[in-house]
Amino acid sequence: MTDFLTALALVFFIEGCLYALMPGRMQHMMRLALEMDPASLRRAGLIAMAIGFGLAWLIRAA
């Protein structure tokens, strides 16, 4: 559970950095996401999940 909470904290940290360092770019990305087809967003999310899971698996196995 500690690993999960640490990972969640890192997600918040990285998201916060993105919004703090480049708010205009993040607004632009949100506008682009609103214009995308839901199926494309879902596919991108699933790909990101798979990559994240694979990286976590490799890191923990080492």
Side-chain angles (χ1 to χ4, degrees):
M1 188 63 159
T2 303
D3 288 339
F4 174 74
L5 293 176
T6 302
L8 190 59
L10 286 171
V11 168
F12 279 111
F13 176 78
I14 292 167
E15 285 281 327
C17 285
L18 292 174
Y19 286 105
L21 296 174
M22 47 188 182
R25 181 72 176 147
M26 293 303 292
Q27 287 176 328
H28 177 71
M29 293 298 291
M30 284 186 245
R31 278 192 290 275
L32 289 176
L34 287 171
E35 296 172 2
M36 286 180 71
D37 177 47
S40 297
L41 285 172
R42 182 175 292 114
R43 191 171 24 259
L46 289 171
I47 291 168
M49 284 174 40
I51 290 170
F53 181 80
L55 287 171
W57 185 300
L58 288 173
I59 291 167
R60 298 298 290 174

